[in-house]
Amino acid sequence: MAPATAVAQFQDFFKADQLAADKDNVLVKTEQNALTKSFPNYHLDNEFNFSPIRESTVSRAMTRRYFADLDKYAESDIVIVGAGSAGLTAAYYLGTRRPDLKIAIIEASVAPGGGAWLGGQLFSAMVVRKPADAFLREIGVPYEDEGEYVVIKHAALFTSTVMARALSLPNIKLFNATAVEDLIVKADQDGNQRIAGVVTNWTLVSLNHGLQSCMDPNTINAHLILSATGHDGPFGAFCVKRAHQAGLVPDLGDMRPLDMNRSENLIVKGTREVYPGLVVSGMELSELDGANRMGPTFGGMMFSGIKAAQEALKVFEE
Ligand code: 48N
């Protein structure tokens, strides 16, 4: 759907006025006098009550599923570390192109999304340079076309949309408030070292290791780790820093000063498998390669996430 049609449909929908309210449904009319959508009629008068429930039922509904997911994803095909714009885009791309793969997303924050909730310096619109507008059309994010670039009216509209698209896929599970605090390295059948999983802990535990005796972590085995942990910060660039400490990758290049035109191309073209079993994308890569930062433009993160997914699929298709 071309962006203009998407926006027009969106506006028609909200210009609609209520036509009639029958017992259970409100019928809504747009300007073309066509019945386009019906809404449930919420009867919230004094007679309404929620269905009864026992507290333990709620606990069991949550814990049964959480522990079943931990069991299921203890062996994953791909673990994505970091649910920012690059990690979520990679998850959506992998989950839609390869519904046969089991994909776990590990996100240290309670709220996934990373730095893509608010354009730049708290200005909420999000700028995306062409040709990354193609991805916005794929996931259905309306935008204003400004020629060389497009503008999404609020960065949260992109982030919530790509998150909803990815998390609704049956082969993807998000473990948020969970930090990767180490890598698993093994020799493959030819005796060559490769990264083969991650070590995790609840983030609050990872942040408080110094307050208690050792609180041992959990582990996930996976054929490939796709890391998108962003640039420097309390958790930033985690996997490249850990791989460097372990002598698996050369010295870190440290992110360079801002240059939008250089940085987005460099990061997308440089997205790759940096060590057998470890693909790195997004701003984490700028910390490894010493690429410039780009500031408040996000097409490079989307395309780096897609490129990382494509590089990951090459490993599976080898
Ligand atoms: O949004 P980020 O930080 O990272 P990206 O690469 O997806 O997007 C970067 C982008 O938001 C920018 O920084 C923009 C383009 N600005 C550039 C500039 O010049 O300033 O998401 C990384 C996610 C976060 O949600 C972290 O919480 C998470 O990764 N994370 C981790 N999750 C689990 N375990 C870890 N060890 C970990 N480290 C970070």
Side-chain angles (χ1 to χ4, degrees), residues 230-289:
H231 54 75
D232 222 349
F235 278 104
F238 178 82
C239 289
V240 293
K241 285 181 193 169
R242 186 61 186 127
H244 171 54
Q245 279 171 346
L248 306 179
V249 295
D251 288 342
L252 300 182
D254 296 333
M255 179 177 72
R256 295 222 162 79
L258 197 144
D259 178 337
M260 278 186 188
N261 283 299
R262 273 174 55 83
S263 58
E264 292 207 288
N265 291 333
L266 272 178
I267 285 180
V268 174
K269 292 173 184 171
T271 297
R272 66 192 185 279
E273 186 179 32
V274 299
Y275 185 80
L278 178 62
V279 172
V280 173
S281 86
M283 289 308 286
E284 180 171 5
L285 196 68
S286 67
E287 296 291 351
L288 175 63
D289 291 348

Side-chain angles (χ1 to χ4, degrees), residues 17 46 54 78 102 108 118 143 174 187 192 256 258 287 300:
D17 31 289
N46 292 337
R54 191 162 173 73
I78 295 178
K102 210 173 13 168
L118 211 50
Y143 53 75
L174 167 68
N192 302 315
R256 295 222 162 79
L258 197 144
E287 296 291 351

Side-chain angles (χ1 to χ4, degrees), residues 87-128:
L88 287 170
T89 301
Y92 165 83
Y93 187 96
L94 286 165
T96 47
R97 272 64 174 180
R98 287 293 299 269
D100 57 309
L101 293 181
K102 210 173 13 168
I103 300 159
I105 308 174
I106 313 293
E107 166 52 53
S109 301
V110 168
W117 283 114
L118 211 50
Q121 196 185 309
L122 308 183
F123 307 134
S124 53
M126 176 185 265
V127 172
V128 175

Side-chain angles (χ1 to χ4, degrees), residues 82 84-86 107-109 114-115 180 228-231 235 282-283 293-295 301:
S85 42
E107 166 52 53
S109 301
V180 165
T229 59
H231 54 75
F235 278 104
M283 289 308 286
R293 62 187 299 195
M294 71 292 289
M301 299 301 103

Side-chain angles (χ1 to χ4, degrees), residues 3 21 58 67 70 79 86 93 121 125 131 133 150-152 159 191 220 230 243 255 260 267 271-272 274-275 296:
V58 174
F67 290 103
L70 275 183
V79 172
Y93 187 96
Q121 196 185 309
D133 53 317
V150 301
V151 184
I152 303 164
T159 308
I220 297 180
M255 179 177 72
M260 278 186 188
I267 285 180
T271 297
R272 66 192 185 279
V274 299
Y275 185 80

